[in-house]
C-alpha cells in the first residue's frame, strides 16, 4: 500500500485485529460476539434467550451469529497464516478453532450448530439456527483440519462433529430443523433447488464435509448433485 512498508502494514493490521478482538471476543471461550463484551449488560439476558426472545432466532440479542463470525474470522486468519505464518496469526487461528469447538459443545442436539451461547450461560442459546451458521462452521473447520496447525485431537473432533452435522442436514433433505427435529428454522430452507443460489451453497458445503471427514459418502453426494442439471 502506498505510504507503508510491508512491515508497517502488517503491524497496523495486527493492531486493528487485536483491538477488535479485545472488544468483541470473550477471553475465556474465544467466541466472537456481535457487540462489544463491555455492553453485555444490555444484551438479551440468559433467561430471555431461553424463552426465545426477542425472536426464536435471536436477532437483536447480541449472540445470534457466533458461528458465522468465528468461522469467517478463522478462514481469514488461516489464509493470512498460509501467506505469512506468524505467532500472532497462529495463536488466533487456534483460538478461533477453540471458539467453534466450544459453540458446538453447547448444542442441545448432535449435528445442530446453535446460535450463541450467551457468555454468562452456555445453556442460553437459540436452536433456531441458519444456513450461514452451518455452512461457515463446516467450511472453516474443514480448512483448519487441512492446515499445519491442526492436532490429531482437533482433527478427530472435526471429523466427528462435521459427520454429525452432515448427517443431520442430509436427514432433513438439506434443510435445518430446530432441536425438536420438526420445526424448520427461520432461515433453514432446503438447498436442493435447481437455482444457482442453492448450488452455490450445497456443493461447497458437501465437498467441505468430505474434506473434513474423509468419508467417501460425502464425495459421492457431491458428485451426484454436481452432475444434476435442470434438463434432467
Amino acid at each position: 500500500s502506498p505510504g507503508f512498508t510491508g512491515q508497517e502494514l502488517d503491524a497496523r493490521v495486527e493492531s486493528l485485529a487485536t483491538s477488535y478482538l479485545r472488544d468483541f471476543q470473550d477471553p475465556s471461550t474465544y467466541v466472537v460476539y456481535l457487540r462489544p463484551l463491555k455492553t453485555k449488560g444490555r444484551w438479551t439476558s440468559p433467561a430471555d434467550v431461553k424463552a426465545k426472545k426477542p425472536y426464536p432466532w435471536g436477532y437483536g440479542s447480541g449472540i445470534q451469529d457466533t458461528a458465522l463470525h468465528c468461522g469467517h474470522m478463522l478462514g481469514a486468519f488461516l489464509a493470512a497464516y498460509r501467506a505469512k505464518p506468524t505467532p500472532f496469526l497462529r495463536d488466533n487461528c487456534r483460538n478461533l478453532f477453540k471458539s467453534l469447538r466450544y459453540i458446538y459443545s453447547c448444542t442441545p442436539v448432535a449435528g445442530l450448530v446453535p446460535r450463541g451461547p450467551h457468555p454468562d450461560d452456555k445453556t442460553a442459546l437459540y436452536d433456531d439456527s441458519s444456513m450461514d451458521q452451518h455452512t461457515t462452521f463446516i467450511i472453516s473447520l474443514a480448512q483448519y483440519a487441512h492446515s499445519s496447525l491442526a492436532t490429531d485431537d482437533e482433527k478427530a473432533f472435526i471429523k466427528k462433529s462435521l459427520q454429525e452435522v452432515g448427517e443431520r442436514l442430509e436427514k432433513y433433505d438439506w434443510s435445518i430443523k430446530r432441536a425438536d427435529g420438526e420445526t424448520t428454522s427461520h432461515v433453514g430452507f432446503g438447498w436442493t433447488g435447481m437455482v444457482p443460489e442453492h448450488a452455490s451453497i450445497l456443493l461447497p458445503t458437501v465437498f467441505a464435509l468430505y474434506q473434513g471427514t474423509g468419508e467417501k459418502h460425502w464425495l459421492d453426494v457431491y458428485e451426484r448433485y454436481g452432475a444434476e442439471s435442470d434438463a434432467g
Side-chain angles (χ1 to χ4, degrees):
S1 176
F4 297 105
T5 66
Q7 187 174 11
E8 289 171 339
L9 186 59
D10 288 347
R12 285 174 178 265
V13 170
E14 183 173 325
S15 176
L16 287 170
T18 299
S19 176
Y20 171 77
L21 292 170
R22 182 178 60 245
D23 289 342
F24 289 85
Q25 186 178 52
D26 187 335
S28 62
T29 64
Y30 304 110
V31 174
V32 181
Y33 286 94
L34 191 66
R35 300 175 181 174
L37 268 292
K38 67 182 180 182
T39 68
K40 188 175 59 175
R42 300 195 295 275
W43 297 8
T44 301
S45 68
D48 280 348
V49 170
K50 292 179 181 181
K52 307 309 177 190
K53 299 177 181 178
Y55 306 99
W57 46 89
Y59 291 176
S61 66
I63 71 169
Q64 70 266 32
D65 286 328
T66 53
L68 179 65
H69 291 327
C70 295
H72 275 296
M73 291 198 70
L74 176 56
F77 274 113
L78 284 170
Y81 184 78
R82 287 194 298 271
K84 183 180 290 188
T86 68
F88 172 78
L89 295 171
R90 176 200 64 208
D91 293 347
N92 276 289
C93 286
R94 287 176 169 159
N95 288 346
L96 289 162
F97 165 79
K98 291 175 184 176
S99 74
L100 291 167
R101 188 171 190 167
Y102 177 77
I103 291 167
Y104 190 71
S105 77
C106 302
T107 186
V109 176
L112 173 66
V113 181
R115 298 178 184 269
H118 193 284
D120 290 340
D121 185 346
K122 69 181 294 184
T123 67
L125 49 77
Y126 297 95
D127 69 344
D128 194 317
S129 192
S130 66
M131 169 193 69
D132 48 8
Q133 309 299 312
H134 283 69
T135 55
T136 309
F137 180 85
I138 292 167
I139 293 170
S140 63
L141 286 186
Q143 291 174 334
Y144 186 82
H146 283 266
S147 75
S148 62
L149 299 174
T151 66
D152 289 343
D153 173 73
E154 291 169 341
K155 291 177 182 178
F157 162 77
I158 292 170
K159 180 174 182 177
K160 180 177 184 295
S161 62
L162 294 196
Q163 185 66 22
E164 291 172 347
V165 173
E167 287 177 353
R168 191 170 196 269
L169 287 170
E170 188 174 38
K171 176 182 179 180
Y172 297 120
D173 196 26
W174 302 99
S175 68
I176 300 168
K177 303 294 186 185
R178 294 179 61 178
D180 61 15
E182 297 179 0
T183 309
T184 300
S185 295
H186 176 57
V187 279
F189 49 85
W191 311 341
T192 56
M194 286 292 183
V195 292
E197 292 84 355
H198 289 195
S200 67
I201 296 167
L202 181 60
L203 291 176
T205 300
V206 174
F207 192 71
L209 285 171
Y210 169 64
Q211 289 183 311
T213 65
E215 295 292 333
K216 185 176 181 297
H217 169 73
W218 302 119
L219 181 60
D220 292 341
V221 173
Y222 172 81
E223 291 176 343
R224 172 163 56 85
Y225 279 120
E228 286 185 336
S229 70
D230 57 11

